[in-house]
């Protein structure tokens, strides 16, 4: 009964050493889940592409800000951090920053481009798992960060605190979703909740401090943009 669950744990530990990433690696997901996560992620990717193209046409300096934040997302998510769990590695999500500065939809676009490049050229994640990874990091991470940031501002929390919450929640929600994706694939006869929380618990020893650090960085960067370059913040972020 526990065979699939143990298999999942072993595969995560082995593939984390090969893939050097938190992303779900190539070959982990069955065809049904590969296709399903593509179906879930694709509408957001298409939507984000349309928004980016429109913004590039209507905003003269948009390409510079897009490139800056895109490079930041790529850099941050490429930072492999050794984990105490069987030599695995991890990294921040960075979508908390991009979703607040450029909006959650454009953040999906940057997350997709980052994950695609990492899958093709860096051995992080994979093409078959791209839909799942885009959904967890680019979609869930971006929208959770954006929603909690808006809620934080609604109750008048300072920008730096709201930015911290955005960065922290983007990271944690990404890993929570990744754990759910793996649990859905491999829970077998075990209860989904039990396998999900067990897998998420395996991420936490390293990911909790990473999330805190990412929250601090996000808070500082977002606060800096608000104070010094507010004109580049997407209107949806600061709309009342």
């Amino acid at each position: 009964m526990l065979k699939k669950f143990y298999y999942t744990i072993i595969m995560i530990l082995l593939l984390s050493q090969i893939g050097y990433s938190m992303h779900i690696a190539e070959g982990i997901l069955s065809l049904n889940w590969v296709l399903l996560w593509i179906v879930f992620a694709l509408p957001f990717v298409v939507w984000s592409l349309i928004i980016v193209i429109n913004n590039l046409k209507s905003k003269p300096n948009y390409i510079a800000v897009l490139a800056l934040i895109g490079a930041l997302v790529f850099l941050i998510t490429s930072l492999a951090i050794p984990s105490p769990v069987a030599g695995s590695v991890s990294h921040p999500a960075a979508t908390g920053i991009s979703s607040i500065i450029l909006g959650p939809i454009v953040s999906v676009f940057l997350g997709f481009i980052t994950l695609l490049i990492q899958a093709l050229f860096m051995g992080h994640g994979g093409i078959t798992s791209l839909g799942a990874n885009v959904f967890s990091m680019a979609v869930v991470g971006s929208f959770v960060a954006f929603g909690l940031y808006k809620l934080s501002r609604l109750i008048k929390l300072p920008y730096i605190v709201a930015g911290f919450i955005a960065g922290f929640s983007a990271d944690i929600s990404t890993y929570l979703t990744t754990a759910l994706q793996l649990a859905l694939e491999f829970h077998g006869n075990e209860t989904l909740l039990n396998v999900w929380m067990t897998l998420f618990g395996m991420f936490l020893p390293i990911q909790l401090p990473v999330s805190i650090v990412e929250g601090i960085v996000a808070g500082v960067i977002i606060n800096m943009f608000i104070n010094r370059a507010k004109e580049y913040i997407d209107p949806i972020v600061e709309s009342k």
Side-chain angles (χ1 to χ4, degrees):
M1 186 167 61
L2 294 175
K3 187 175 181 180
K4 277 196 170 183
F5 178 57
Y6 291 143
Y7 171 76
T8 305
I9 294 177
I10 293 170
M11 289 299 292
I12 291 172
L13 298 180
L14 290 177
L15 289 167
S16 64
Q17 294 176 331
I18 297 172
Y20 298 101
S21 168
M22 76 150 191
H23 310 316
I24 297 176
E26 196 78 79
I28 281 287
L29 299 177
S30 61
L31 180 60
N32 289 341
W33 284 112
V34 167
L35 296 176
L36 190 61
W37 291 117
I38 289 175
V39 168
F40 286 162
L42 188 58
F44 291 95
V45 173
V46 173
W47 184 14
S48 70
L49 181 59
I50 293 171
I51 296 297
V52 167
I53 291 173
N54 290 337
N55 286 342
L56 288 172
K57 292 178 179 178
S58 61
K59 300 178 181 180
N61 297 323
Y62 191 76
I63 184 65
V65 181
L66 185 69
L68 173 65
I69 303 303
L72 184 64
V73 171
F74 182 82
L75 176 64
I76 291 176
T77 58
S78 297
L79 296 174
I81 303 169
S83 168
V85 182
S88 61
V89 294
S90 183
H91 68 68
T95 48
I97 297 171
S98 57
S99 66
I100 304 310
I101 295 175
L102 295 174
I105 306 302
V106 178
S107 180
V108 171
F109 172 77
L110 295 180
F112 167 71
I113 295 299
T114 293
L115 289 165
L116 180 62
I117 293 173
Q118 289 176 345
L120 289 173
F121 303 110
M122 300 175 64
H124 291 189
I127 297 302
T128 60
S129 58
L130 184 61
N133 292 328
V134 167
F135 188 81
S136 63
M137 190 182 91
V139 177
V140 174
S142 296
F143 279 92
V144 168
F146 174 76
L148 291 180
Y149 175 87
K150 294 289 284 187
L151 180 61
S152 300
R153 290 299 300 144
L154 186 65
I155 61 176
K156 305 300 182 183
L157 290 179
Y159 285 112
I160 194 167
V161 176
F164 171 86
I165 292 172
F168 179 86
S169 62
D171 199 299
I172 288 295
S173 62
T174 295
Y175 278 80
L176 193 61
T177 306
T178 299
L180 175 60
Q181 291 169 330
L182 292 170
L184 286 168
E185 176 70 56
F186 293 113
H187 72 89
N189 294 324
E190 289 294 299
T191 62
L192 177 63
L193 181 61
N194 181 51
V195 176
W196 180 16
M197 290 298 100
T198 300
L199 291 171
F200 182 59
M202 293 174 62
F203 287 131
L204 278 183
I206 185 63
Q207 207 54 39
L208 184 59
V210 168
S211 299
I212 293 172
V213 172
E214 183 172 357
I216 294 171
V217 172
V220 170
I221 292 176
I222 291 168
N223 189 62
M224 180 182 69
F225 264 81
I226 291 292
N227 292 329
R228 301 182 183 180
K230 195 171 184 178
E231 66 273 17
Y232 293 113
I233 300 289
D234 192 278
I236 192 178
V237 175
E238 283 304 298
S239 60
K240 301 299 182 183

